[in-house]
Amino acid sequence: MLDQAMIARGMFHFAHSAAGDEITRYHLQAGIAACHCAAMEYEATDWRQILSLYDRLMEFDASPVVALNRAVAVAEVHGPKAGIDAVNAIPGVESLESYYLLHAVLGEFESRRNLARIAAGHFRKSLGMARMKTERAFLMKTARGV
């Protein structure tokens, strides 16, 4: 359940922090979070704006994790194949090989492409890497849907 009062308070502080001429990575990260909070449901998320913010964030922080998050926005805007291409284009993507979310993201993309067998393999790999109970529960639920 969304806490609308807390979201409104956060938006108020975000708007005040945006005053001035300087944009930092923190402004961009807050903007991404604000886009997610502003959507009343997943389908209403402004993925084009989020992608634009990730494009700018990459100028400050081109880490593989930020690039992976950007790939999710790419897939939401341009489709799962574009998301896979964005993952494959990440410099140093091999450093994410032991990161469970890399495989969860790829599993989701392959699932959206109706490649259930490939998706299931990614979800199994991700599940084997996840350590927290909540992460594992979410991945098991997602993998069952494939």
Side-chain angles (χ1 to χ4, degrees):
M1 182 112 198
L2 296 177
D3 186 334
Q4 294 299 328
M6 288 297 284
I7 291 171
R9 185 174 174 197
M11 293 293 198
F12 172 81
H13 289 293
F14 173 60
H16 279 79
S17 76
D21 297 332
E22 184 181 8
I23 290 192
T24 68
R25 72 182 75 215
Y26 304 111
H27 290 104
L28 296 168
Q29 291 168 348
I32 292 165
C35 286
H36 286 295
C37 288
M40 294 303 286
E41 55 193 23
Y42 187 84
E43 294 75 20
T45 305
D46 187 350
W47 287 105
R48 290 189 186 283
Q49 179 64 24
I50 291 171
L51 179 55
S52 174
L53 290 166
Y54 269 116
D55 287 343
R56 301 243 354 243
L57 182 57
M58 291 289 292
E59 297 170 15
F60 291 90
D61 180 2
S63 72
V65 172
V66 171
L68 179 63
N69 291 338
R70 180 186 173 277
V72 172
V74 168
E76 291 296 336
V77 173
H78 300 293
K81 174 67 170 93
I84 292 168
D85 292 343
V87 168
N88 290 333
I90 296 172
V93 71
E94 61 279 351
S95 68
L96 296 177
E97 191 57 39
S98 62
Y99 184 42
Y100 82 98
L101 287 177
L102 169 67
H103 303 286
V105 164
L106 289 171
E108 177 64 25
F109 293 168
E110 296 294 7
S111 176
R112 290 183 186 181
R113 294 177 67 208
N114 295 315
L115 298 172
R117 187 171 168 180
I118 296 170
H122 284 296
F123 285 130
R124 276 193 300 277
K125 196 168 194 177
S126 181
L127 190 56
M129 295 175 182
R131 298 291 169 237
M132 293 177 59
K133 283 183 181 181
T134 53
E135 294 167 347
R136 293 180 57 75
F138 172 77
L139 290 167
M140 283 191 272
K141 180 180 176 184
T142 303
R144 277 191 218 118
V146 175

